[in-house]
PDB file of all heavy atoms in Angstrom:
ATOM      1  N   ASN K 120      -9.275  13.893  -7.153  1.00  0.00           N
ATOM      2  CA  ASN K 120      -8.979  12.925  -6.097  1.00  0.00           C
ATOM      3  C   ASN K 120      -7.721  13.332  -5.359  1.00  0.00           C
ATOM      4  O   ASN K 120      -6.695  13.663  -5.984  1.00  0.00           O
ATOM      5  CB  ASN K 120      -8.818  11.535  -6.749  1.00  0.00           C
ATOM      6  CG  ASN K 120      -8.514  10.456  -5.758  1.00  0.00           C
ATOM      7  OD1 ASN K 120      -7.352  10.326  -5.299  1.00  0.00           O
ATOM      8  ND2 ASN K 120      -9.516   9.698  -5.392  1.00  0.00           N
ATOM      9  N   HIS K 121      -7.763  13.325  -4.027  1.00  0.00           N
ATOM     10  CA  HIS K 121      -6.599  13.758  -3.255  1.00  0.00           C
ATOM     11  C   HIS K 121      -5.403  12.847  -3.437  1.00  0.00           C
ATOM     12  O   HIS K 121      -4.261  13.306  -3.436  1.00  0.00           O
ATOM     13  CB  HIS K 121      -6.979  13.816  -1.762  1.00  0.00           C
ATOM     14  CG  HIS K 121      -5.887  14.389  -0.906  1.00  0.00           C
ATOM     15  ND1 HIS K 121      -5.298  13.720   0.138  1.00  0.00           N
ATOM     16  CD2 HIS K 121      -5.229  15.597  -0.955  1.00  0.00           C
ATOM     17  CE1 HIS K 121      -4.358  14.444   0.688  1.00  0.00           C
ATOM     18  NE2 HIS K 121      -4.314  15.584   0.066  1.00  0.00           N
ATOM     19  N   GLU K 122      -5.639  11.559  -3.594  1.00  0.00           N
ATOM     20  CA  GLU K 122      -4.531  10.635  -3.805  1.00  0.00           C
ATOM     21  C   GLU K 122      -3.741  11.022  -5.057  1.00  0.00           C
ATOM     22  O   GLU K 122      -2.504  10.977  -5.055  1.00  0.00           O
ATOM     23  CB  GLU K 122      -5.039   9.206  -3.919  1.00  0.00           C
ATOM     24  CG  GLU K 122      -3.916   8.178  -4.093  1.00  0.00           C
ATOM     25  CD  GLU K 122      -4.425   6.767  -4.148  1.00  0.00           C
ATOM     26  OE1 GLU K 122      -5.641   6.552  -3.961  1.00  0.00           O
ATOM     27  OE2 GLU K 122      -3.601   5.836  -4.361  1.00  0.00           O
ATOM     28  N   ALA K 123      -4.428  11.395  -6.125  1.00  0.00           N
ATOM     29  CA  ALA K 123      -3.744  11.813  -7.343  1.00  0.00           C
ATOM     30  C   ALA K 123      -2.910  13.089  -7.105  1.00  0.00           C
ATOM     31  O   ALA K 123      -1.829  13.224  -7.655  1.00  0.00           O
ATOM     32  CB  ALA K 123      -4.759  12.022  -8.457  1.00  0.00           C
ATOM     33  N   PHE K 124      -3.440  14.004  -6.288  1.00  0.00           N
ATOM     34  CA  PHE K 124      -2.656  15.197  -5.991  1.00  0.00           C
ATOM     35  C   PHE K 124      -1.420  14.868  -5.175  1.00  0.00           C
ATOM     36  O   PHE K 124      -0.345  15.422  -5.392  1.00  0.00           O
ATOM     37  CB  PHE K 124      -3.527  16.212  -5.246  1.00  0.00           C
ATOM     38  CG  PHE K 124      -2.780  17.447  -4.833  1.00  0.00           C
ATOM     39  CD1 PHE K 124      -2.226  18.295  -5.784  1.00  0.00           C
ATOM     40  CD2 PHE K 124      -2.601  17.760  -3.499  1.00  0.00           C
ATOM     41  CE1 PHE K 124      -1.531  19.447  -5.407  1.00  0.00           C
ATOM     42  CE2 PHE K 124      -1.915  18.886  -3.114  1.00  0.00           C
ATOM     43  CZ  PHE K 124      -1.375  19.744  -4.065  1.00  0.00           C
ATOM     44  N   LEU K 125      -1.527  13.920  -4.208  1.00  0.00           N
ATOM     45  CA  LEU K 125      -0.359  13.527  -3.470  1.00  0.00           C
ATOM     46  C   LEU K 125       0.690  12.860  -4.342  1.00  0.00           C
ATOM     47  O   LEU K 125       1.879  13.049  -4.134  1.00  0.00           O
ATOM     48  CB  LEU K 125      -0.760  12.575  -2.329  1.00  0.00           C
ATOM     49  CG  LEU K 125      -1.455  13.217  -1.125  1.00  0.00           C
ATOM     50  CD1 LEU K 125      -1.727  12.155  -0.059  1.00  0.00           C
ATOM     51  CD2 LEU K 125      -0.649  14.334  -0.546  1.00  0.00           C
ATOM     52  N   VAL K 126       0.249  12.142  -5.357  1.00  0.00           N
ATOM     53  CA  VAL K 126       1.208  11.539  -6.308  1.00  0.00           C
ATOM     54  C   VAL K 126       1.999  12.663  -6.956  1.00  0.00           C
ATOM     55  O   VAL K 126       3.241  12.568  -7.116  1.00  0.00           O
ATOM     56  CB  VAL K 126       0.480  10.683  -7.340  1.00  0.00           C
ATOM     57  CG1 VAL K 126       1.427  10.312  -8.474  1.00  0.00           C
ATOM     58  CG2 VAL K 126      -0.085   9.409  -6.706  1.00  0.00           C
ATOM     59  N   ARG K 127       1.331  13.732  -7.348  1.00  0.00           N
ATOM     60  CA  ARG K 127       2.019  14.905  -7.936  1.00  0.00           C
ATOM     61  C   ARG K 127       3.045  15.462  -6.972  1.00  0.00           C
ATOM     62  O   ARG K 127       4.177  15.775  -7.355  1.00  0.00           O
ATOM     63  CB  ARG K 127       0.990  15.976  -8.308  1.00  0.00           C
ATOM     64  CG  ARG K 127       1.533  17.200  -8.981  1.00  0.00           C
ATOM     65  CD  ARG K 127       0.486  18.261  -9.183  1.00  0.00           C
ATOM     66  NE  ARG K 127      -0.577  17.861 -10.117  1.00  0.00           N
ATOM     67  CZ  ARG K 127      -1.601  18.648 -10.446  1.00  0.00           C
ATOM     68  NH1 ARG K 127      -1.699  19.869  -9.942  1.00  0.00           N
ATOM     69  NH2 ARG K 127      -2.517  18.191 -11.280  1.00  0.00           N
ATOM     70  N   CYS K 128       2.659  15.586  -5.698  1.00  0.00           N
ATOM     71  CA  CYS K 128       3.617  16.102  -4.684  1.00  0.00           C
ATOM     72  C   CYS K 128       4.807  15.148  -4.551  1.00  0.00           C
ATOM     73  O   CYS K 128       5.966  15.592  -4.522  1.00  0.00           O
ATOM     74  CB  CYS K 128       2.911  16.230  -3.331  1.00  0.00           C
ATOM     75  SG  CYS K 128       1.653  17.515  -3.252  1.00  0.00           S
ATOM     76  N   HIS K 129       4.520  13.868  -4.425  1.00  0.00           N
ATOM     77  CA  HIS K 129       5.591  12.899  -4.174  1.00  0.00           C
ATOM     78  C   HIS K 129       6.556  12.822  -5.355  1.00  0.00           C
ATOM     79  O   HIS K 129       7.767  12.659  -5.158  1.00  0.00           O
ATOM     80  CB  HIS K 129       4.988  11.532  -3.870  1.00  0.00           C
ATOM     81  CG  HIS K 129       4.170  11.549  -2.601  1.00  0.00           C
ATOM     82  ND1 HIS K 129       3.421  10.489  -2.193  1.00  0.00           N
ATOM     83  CD2 HIS K 129       4.017  12.496  -1.651  1.00  0.00           C
ATOM     84  CE1 HIS K 129       2.834  10.773  -1.031  1.00  0.00           C
ATOM     85  NE2 HIS K 129       3.179  12.024  -0.709  1.00  0.00           N
ATOM     86  N   GLN K 130       6.044  12.927  -6.579  1.00  0.00           N
ATOM     87  CA  GLN K 130       6.929  12.912  -7.727  1.00  0.00           C
ATOM     88  C   GLN K 130       7.882  14.110  -7.763  1.00  0.00           C
ATOM     89  O   GLN K 130       8.937  14.062  -8.375  1.00  0.00           O
ATOM     90  CB  GLN K 130       6.089  12.888  -9.003  1.00  0.00           C
ATOM     91  CG  GLN K 130       5.387  11.561  -9.257  1.00  0.00           C
ATOM     92  CD  GLN K 130       4.448  11.554 -10.440  1.00  0.00           C
ATOM     93  OE1 GLN K 130       4.041  12.641 -10.914  1.00  0.00           O
ATOM     94  NE2 GLN K 130       4.080  10.393 -10.920  1.00  0.00           N
ATOM     95  N   ALA K 131       7.497  15.189  -7.094  1.00  0.00           N
ATOM     96  CA  ALA K 131       8.346  16.382  -7.007  1.00  0.00           C
ATOM     97  C   ALA K 131       9.221  16.356  -5.762  1.00  0.00           C
ATOM     98  O   ALA K 131       9.847  17.365  -5.441  1.00  0.00           O
ATOM     99  CB  ALA K 131       7.466  17.632  -7.017  1.00  0.00           C
TER     100      ALA K 131
END
Side-chain angles (χ1 to χ4, degrees):
N120 181 281
H121 185 239
E122 182 178 355
F124 177 63
L125 285 183
V126 169
R127 181 186 296 181
C128 292
H129 296 172
Q130 288 174 342

